Amino acid sequence: MNKLLIVGTVAFDAIETPFGKTDKILGGAATYIGLSASHFNVKSGIVSVVGEDFPQEYLDLLTAKNIDISGIEIVKGGKTFFWSGKYHNDLNSRDTLATELNVLADFNPVVPQDFKNADVVMLGNLHPLVQSSVLNQMTTTPKLVVLDTMNFWMDCALPELLDIIKRIDVITINDEEARQLSGEYSLVKAAAKIHTMGPKYVVIKKGEHGALLFHNEKVFFAPALPLEEVFDPTGAGDTFAGGFSGYIAQSENISFDNMKNGIIHGSNLASFCVEKFGTERMETLQKEEVQERLKQFKALTQFDIELS
Amino acid sequence: MNKLLIVGTVAFDAIETPFGKTDKILGGAATYIGLSASHFNVKSGIVSVVGEDFPQEYLDLLTAKNIDISGIEIVKGGKTFFWSGKYHNDLNSRDTLATELNVLADFNPVVPQDFKNADVVMLGNLHPLVQSSVLNQMTTTPKLVVLDTMNFWMDCALPELLDIIKRIDVITINDEEARQLSGEYSLVKAAAKIHTMGPKYVVIKKGEHGALLFHNEKVFFAPALPLEEVFDPTGAGDTFAGGFSGYIAQSENISFDNMKNGIIHGSNLASFCVEKFGTERMETLQKEEVQERLKQFKALTQFDIELS
């Protein structure tokens, strides 16, 4: 079985949307990535850090999804990373109410021996130096390295971010971040500029407006599934990245055509994530539901025009 | 050859975008619809009104595209409808600088005898009473009636708008207008509510984010083609409607599957419209260019996932 190494936060989130609010619940980029990638036939492991306050049941939940948690360090007496946010009425924007780094402040990632030869590495949103450190520990060159990041690191650690971006194959960022990173408003031009920074593949996430995959002159687009209600967008981008990297790891095929499928799988899984608060929907999601919705994606996008 | 009856403005526009500005140039919903529909094998005719100030060369341009202009009334001593607008930097929003109704204020549409049995009727954005009057003049029931409208009529003539909406098959409006008309934020819910107002097919245009086609429980999505630069969005929605209605009129097939193709043709033609100011690009657009870009649409959206 192919191996997928996931790096990212495992955290507490407190979320408020127009539909309600939660106390501290399970969150974090690596959590969402792992839950999403668990829908593929891969051996995945998370590198992260939590405090002693992190419930064993959350760790058990990951283990039950066949996610290797030996790379999740538990800091004695430490407190787990906590994020709190409130979404605006359109759910397209949010205010961060609290960010408590806690044990994340001194995180020194250690890749378990068994994952140093992972086939695919998914570097979830974290400090670029942490992402670099993980890549430095690999003993074999991964078939594909995917990086997710955000505007925060462009503001606070741009040189380090540019360093790691040079070393990866696929970058996934949202539209505003692509504009910030490239200085180009047009997403076509932004992708072209980001190509020159290193990544051969640029994925631009547009939330409810879908995602674009750029590779040189080629472009592919996957819509978000039109839903009656988006309940909570938290983790949708990470779920997308988990579906993409999980599928690629399983299929061992890094052609552009296969990456298209990865984008569809990512969008498909993300469409479930937003249906309930936090990880709730992903925890119970069944294989049959995933397959059924893939059919909806086909119906949504496939057409048959004869070309002359 | 099947007949397409087009109702809408034929007008002067003055446009300002971040890339430049124009004096009074050829514009109007019916103009864009007609130019777009001229790419299909249909006999199309425009019902509209202009003033004596309207240049013969503009009328000749429409005639040269095989558009019947016998339904365009020329008011002696009258002035042509004039619209002026300035786009913001993101090109997604604009300010209207001037709207001079002129001859449009007293427009009483007269459908030429030869178009009273048109196969498809495309009611472009105009006062709902004008749209109704055109439909009243038909001597045979059209195979399909498509209506485009905008928020202005929801604000100023809602009862009249709701009356005409009851009588049509397909409505095309943008996302904000769909929300206003339905009172629903979710576009899925908005489309469901608009279905109950009459139209069996609801097309929601999202500009650079593509277009959705709803029919009962079915949904289809066409992206906008990602372009290096959008130069001037004026007329893109009308060009979309012209491509859709022109294709349906040509193919005589009003199945959902064929409407998907109509949505793709409309999106394809609209992707050209925005490349230059006003109607400039549409005036010179060649069949080969249209076919070539259809291939890009296929590459952009088609994927091949095996479903279990």
Side-chain angles (χ1 to χ4, degrees):
Chain A
M1 202 184 294
N2 292 323
K3 291 179 194 170
L4 170 66
L5 175 61
I6 299 163
V7 191
T9 52
V10 172
F12 289 130
D13 285 348
I15 303 160
E16 189 172 343
T17 82
F19 304 103
K21 58 189 290 188
T22 70
D23 288 329
K24 281 186 179 184
I25 58 172
L26 174 61
T31 304
Y32 284 103
I33 294 169
L35 289 175
S36 184
S38 74
H39 287 273
F40 301 93
N41 195 27
V42 290
K43 179 177 177 183
S44 57
I46 290 178
V47 169
S48 192
V49 64
V50 295
E52 212 177 340
D53 57 347
F54 198 71
Q56 184 63 37
E57 61 169 294
Y58 286 169
L59 294 171
D60 292 346
L61 189 157
L62 296 175
T63 305
K65 298 283 181 185
N66 290 315
I67 301 166
D68 184 302
I69 60 163
S70 62
I72 303 183
E73 181 191 351
I74 301 172
V75 177
K76 283 253 162 92
K79 286 182 69 182
T80 300
F81 172 57
F82 170 63
W83 174 83
S84 170
K86 179 179 176 172
Y87 288 86
H88 301 159
N89 278 337
D90 66 1
L91 289 168
N92 276 330
S93 53
R94 67 186 185 191
D95 295 323
T96 291
L97 303 177
T99 308
E100 298 173 10
L101 284 182
N102 298 329
V103 293
L104 205 61
D106 303 310
F107 179 37
N108 192 9
V110 178
V111 178
Q113 195 60 38
D114 197 25
F115 280 90
K116 288 186 176 175
N117 63 352
D119 303 274
V120 173
V121 177
M122 175 70 232
L123 302 170
N125 175 43
L126 264 181
H127 195 297
L129 288 180
V130 172
Q131 296 175 320
S132 285
S133 164
V134 166
L135 219 46
N136 293 342
Q137 295 172 53
M138 303 305 287
T139 52
T140 58
T141 305
K143 292 196 188 74
L144 200 74
V145 179
V146 186
L147 174 135
D148 188 57
T149 189
M150 66 184 292
N151 51 354
F152 181 79
W153 308 114
M154 298 172 199
D155 295 334
C156 304
L158 186 60
E160 295 90 339
L161 179 62
L162 292 176
D163 276 346
I164 179 72
I165 284 180
K166 277 187 202 131
R167 303 171 60 193
I168 59 157
D169 303 298
V170 184
I171 185 171
T172 72
I173 45 178
N174 76 28
D175 41 4
E176 283 317 309
E177 290 157 356
R179 288 178 172 131
Q180 179 172 347
L181 185 60
S182 66
E184 295 283 354
Y185 184 81
S186 152
L187 296 180
V188 175
K189 288 186 179 177
K193 199 142 175 192
I194 295 170
H195 274 319
T196 68
M197 299 176 182
K200 293 182 288 292
Y201 299 88
V202 177
V203 177
I204 299 182
K205 301 175 287 183
K206 304 200 296 171
E208 63 163 326
H209 299 303
L212 286 157
L213 166 67
F214 292 91
H215 174 57
N216 301 326
E217 300 302 305
K218 293 180 187 167
V219 199
F220 178 68
F221 175 82
L225 198 74
L227 296 170
E228 285 228 347
E229 212 71 85
V230 170
F231 200 75
D232 171 19
T234 307
D238 299 314
T239 301
F240 173 88
F244 175 77
S245 55
Y247 173 76
I248 298 293
Q250 170 189 282
S251 60
E252 280 192 276
N253 175 344
I254 58 167
S255 70
F256 183 75
D257 273 347
N258 198 51
M259 286 206 190
K260 289 182 182 182
N261 292 349
I263 298 290
I264 294 290
H265 280 292
S267 301
N268 190 43
L269 287 158
S271 78
F272 290 102
C273 177
V274 302
E275 290 185 331
K276 291 192 178 177
F277 266 123
T279 57
E280 195 180 342
R281 186 71 179 91
M282 298 309 288
E283 291 176 27
T284 60
L285 182 60
Q286 299 300 308
K287 191 177 174 183
E288 297 70 32
E289 297 174 293
V290 176
Q291 283 294 316
E292 190 55 39
R293 197 166 282 186
L294 272 178
K295 289 179 195 161
Q296 288 183 47
F297 262 92
K298 275 209 155 182
L300 180 67
T301 56
Q302 304 304 285
F303 59 88
D304 191 19
I305 288 184
E306 296 281 326
L307 294 174
S308 60
Chain B
M1 199 186 295
N2 292 322
K3 291 179 195 169
L4 171 66
L5 175 60
I6 299 163
V7 192
T9 53
V10 172
F12 290 130
D13 285 349
I15 304 160
E16 188 171 343
T17 82
F19 304 103
K21 58 188 292 186
T22 70
D23 289 329
K24 282 187 177 182
I25 58 172
L26 174 61
T31 305
Y32 284 102
I33 294 169
L35 289 174
S36 184
S38 74
H39 286 273
F40 301 94
N41 194 25
V42 291
K43 180 178 176 183
S44 58
I46 291 178
V47 168
S48 193
V49 63
V50 294
E52 212 179 339
D53 57 348
F54 198 70
Q56 183 63 38
E57 61 171 292
Y58 287 169
L59 294 171
D60 292 345
L61 191 157
L62 296 174
T63 305
K65 297 285 182 185
N66 289 316
I67 301 166
D68 184 302
I69 59 164
S70 62
I72 303 184
E73 181 191 351
I74 302 172
V75 177
K76 283 252 160 92
K79 287 183 69 182
T80 302
F81 172 57
F82 170 62
W83 174 82
S84 171
K86 181 179 175 171
Y87 288 87
H88 302 159
N89 278 336
D90 65 1
L91 288 169
N92 276 329
S93 53
R94 68 186 183 191
D95 295 324
T96 290
L97 303 178
T99 307
E100 298 172 10
L101 285 182
N102 298 330
V103 293
L104 205 61
D106 303 309
F107 179 38
N108 192 10
V110 178
V111 178
Q113 195 60 37
D114 197 27
F115 280 90
K116 288 186 176 174
N117 63 351
D119 302 274
V120 173
V121 177
M122 176 68 231
L123 301 170
N125 175 42
L126 263 181
H127 195 296
L129 289 181
V130 172
Q131 295 174 320
S132 285
S133 163
V134 165
L135 219 46
N136 294 341
Q137 295 173 54
M138 303 306 288
T139 51
T140 58
T141 305
K143 291 197 187 74
L144 200 74
V145 179
V146 186
L147 175 136
D148 188 57
T149 189
M150 65 184 293
N151 51 354
F152 181 78
W153 308 114
M154 298 172 198
D155 295 334
C156 304
L158 186 59
E160 296 88 341
L161 180 61
L162 292 175
D163 277 345
I164 180 72
I165 285 179
K166 276 187 202 132
R167 303 171 60 194
I168 59 158
D169 303 299
V170 184
I171 186 171
T172 72
I173 44 178
N174 76 29
D175 41 4
E176 284 317 309
E177 291 158 355
R179 287 176 173 134
Q180 180 174 346
L181 185 61
S182 66
E184 294 284 354
Y185 184 80
S186 152
L187 296 181
V188 175
K189 289 186 178 176
K193 199 142 174 193
I194 296 170
H195 274 319
T196 68
M197 299 176 183
K200 293 183 289 293
Y201 300 88
V202 177
V203 176
I204 299 182
K205 301 174 288 183
K206 304 200 296 171
E208 63 163 326
H209 299 303
L212 286 157
L213 166 67
F214 292 92
H215 175 56
N216 302 326
E217 300 302 305
K218 293 181 187 166
V219 199
F220 178 69
F221 175 82
L225 198 74
L227 296 170
E228 285 229 346
E229 212 72 82
V230 170
F231 200 75
D232 170 20
T234 307
D238 299 314
T239 301
F240 172 87
F244 175 77
S245 54
Y247 172 76
I248 298 293
Q250 171 190 282
S251 61
E252 280 191 277
N253 176 342
I254 59 168
S255 71
F256 183 76
D257 273 347
N258 198 51
M259 285 205 192
K260 290 182 182 181
N261 292 349
I263 298 291
I264 294 290
H265 280 291
S267 301
N268 190 43
L269 286 159
S271 78
F272 290 102
C273 178
V274 302
E275 289 185 333
K276 291 193 177 176
F277 266 123
T279 57
E280 195 181 340
R281 186 71 180 91
M282 299 310 288
E283 290 176 28
T284 59
L285 182 60
Q286 298 300 311
K287 190 177 175 185
E288 298 69 33
E289 297 174 294
V290 176
Q291 284 294 317
E292 190 55 38
R293 197 165 281 185
L294 273 178
K295 289 180 194 160
Q296 288 183 47
F297 263 92
K298 274 209 155 179
L300 180 66
T301 56
Q302 305 302 286
F303 59 88
D304 191 19
I305 289 184
E306 296 280 327
L307 295 174
S308 61

